[in-house]
Amino acid sequence: MSIEKKKISINISSKIDTPLAVSSNILDIFINLIKTNSKDKVIKISQFGSFFYKDTPSRMGRNPKTGELFAIKKRSKLSFNTSSKVKNTLN
Protein backbone atom coordinates (compact mmCIF):
# COMPACT_ATOMS: atom_id res chain seq x y z
CA MET A 1 0.00 0.00 0.00
CA SER A 2 1.45 3.33 -0.97
CA ILE A 3 0.18 6.78 -0.10
CA GLU A 4 1.37 9.87 -1.92
CA LYS A 5 2.74 12.91 -0.12
CA LYS A 6 0.02 15.04 -1.67
CA LYS A 7 -2.73 12.87 -0.15
CA ILE A 8 -1.04 12.98 3.26
CA SER A 9 -0.77 16.78 3.00
CA ILE A 10 -4.45 17.06 2.09
CA ASN A 11 -5.38 14.86 5.05
CA ILE A 12 -3.25 16.95 7.44
CA SER A 13 -4.75 20.13 6.01
CA SER A 14 -8.32 18.95 6.57
CA LYS A 15 -7.66 17.57 10.08
CA ILE A 16 -6.00 20.70 11.51
CA ASP A 17 -7.78 23.23 9.28
CA THR A 18 -4.70 24.81 7.69
CA PRO A 19 -3.85 25.73 4.09
CA LEU A 20 -2.46 22.96 1.91
CA ALA A 21 0.89 24.78 1.55
CA VAL A 22 1.38 24.79 5.33
CA SER A 23 0.51 21.11 5.75
CA SER A 24 2.81 20.22 2.83
CA ASN A 25 5.60 22.17 4.53
CA ILE A 26 4.96 20.34 7.83
CA LEU A 27 5.21 16.99 6.05
CA ASP A 28 8.44 17.96 4.26
CA ILE A 29 10.03 19.08 7.53
CA PHE A 30 9.02 15.79 9.19
CA ILE A 31 10.45 13.69 6.35
CA ASN A 32 13.73 15.66 6.30
CA LEU A 33 14.00 15.32 10.08
CA ILE A 34 13.61 11.55 9.84
CA LYS A 35 16.10 11.29 6.94
CA THR A 36 18.84 13.30 8.62
CA ASN A 37 18.52 11.88 12.13
CA SER A 38 18.17 8.22 11.15
CA LYS A 39 21.58 8.16 9.43
CA ASP A 40 23.26 7.86 12.83
CA LYS A 41 20.67 5.90 14.80
CA VAL A 42 17.27 4.23 14.70
CA ILE A 43 14.35 6.65 15.05
CA LYS A 44 11.48 5.04 16.98
CA ILE A 45 8.03 6.56 17.13
CA SER A 46 6.02 4.91 19.89
CA GLN A 47 3.10 2.77 18.65
CA PHE A 48 3.93 3.68 15.02
CA GLY A 49 7.25 2.20 13.95
CA SER A 50 11.00 2.64 13.43
CA PHE A 51 13.00 4.37 10.70
CA PHE A 52 16.57 3.26 9.96
CA TYR A 53 19.13 3.17 7.17
CA LYS A 54 19.95 -0.20 5.67
CA ASP A 55 22.92 -1.02 3.41
CA THR A 56 22.15 -2.95 0.25
CA PRO A 57 24.95 -5.09 -1.21
CA SER A 58 26.40 -4.53 -4.68
CA ARG A 59 24.98 -6.88 -7.27
CA MET A 60 24.69 -7.54 -10.98
CA GLY A 61 21.67 -6.15 -12.83
CA ARG A 62 20.37 -6.75 -16.33
CA ASN A 63 18.74 -4.42 -18.83
CA PRO A 64 15.54 -6.31 -19.75
CA LYS A 65 15.38 -4.78 -23.22
CA THR A 66 18.95 -5.51 -24.35
CA GLY A 67 19.96 -8.23 -21.90
CA GLU A 68 23.14 -6.29 -21.10
CA LEU A 69 24.61 -6.92 -17.63
CA PHE A 70 25.84 -4.09 -15.44
CA ALA A 71 27.00 -3.62 -11.85
CA ILE A 72 24.65 -2.00 -9.33
CA LYS A 73 26.67 -0.26 -6.63
CA LYS A 74 26.26 -0.80 -2.90
CA ARG A 75 24.01 1.86 -1.40
CA SER A 76 22.24 2.89 1.76
CA LYS A 77 18.46 3.32 1.82
CA LEU A 78 15.91 4.44 4.38
CA SER A 79 13.72 1.62 5.70
CA PHE A 80 10.67 1.51 7.96
CA ASN A 81 9.38 -1.24 10.27
CA THR A 82 5.80 -0.82 11.46
CA SER A 83 4.81 -1.47 15.04
CA SER A 84 2.50 -4.36 15.87
CA LYS A 85 -0.26 -1.90 16.78
CA VAL A 86 -0.20 -0.34 13.29
CA LYS A 87 -0.12 -3.79 11.69
CA ASN A 88 -3.15 -4.89 13.71
CA THR A 89 -5.03 -1.69 12.81
CA LEU A 90 -4.37 -2.12 9.08
CA ASN A 91 -5.21 -5.83 9.00
Side-chain angles (χ1 to χ4, degrees):
M1 176 179 166
S2 63
I3 301 174
E4 299 147 355
K5 281 174 59 176
K6 186 173 184 176
K7 287 183 182 179
I8 296 172
S9 296
I10 291 170
N11 196 359
I12 292 171
S13 177
S14 66
K15 297 278 184 188
I16 62 173
D17 197 29
T18 59
L20 185 59
V22 173
S23 63
S24 180
N25 192 22
I26 291 169
L27 182 61
D28 287 338
I29 290 169
F30 174 75
I31 291 171
N32 286 332
L33 185 70
I34 294 295
K35 282 182 181 179
T36 56
N37 289 325
S38 63
K39 288 187 180 185
D40 303 334
K41 56 191 173 274
V42 175
I43 303 294
K44 293 183 182 183
I45 300 174
S46 180
Q47 299 182 0
F48 183 67
S50 301
F51 294 90
F52 59 95
Y53 269 90
K54 181 171 146 180
D55 290 330
T56 59
S58 58
R59 64 188 198 280
M60 292 302 291
R62 185 179 60 85
N63 182 335
K65 189 173 184 180
T66 63
E68 179 184 354
L69 293 174
F70 61 95
I72 299 173
K73 295 179 183 177
K74 175 181 151 178
R75 67 182 184 136
S76 181
K77 66 179 185 177
L78 185 62
S79 295
F80 175 71
N81 281 343
T82 59
S83 70
S84 59
K85 186 167 186 172
V86 171
K87 285 181 188 177
N88 292 337
T89 302
L90 293 175
N91 291 328

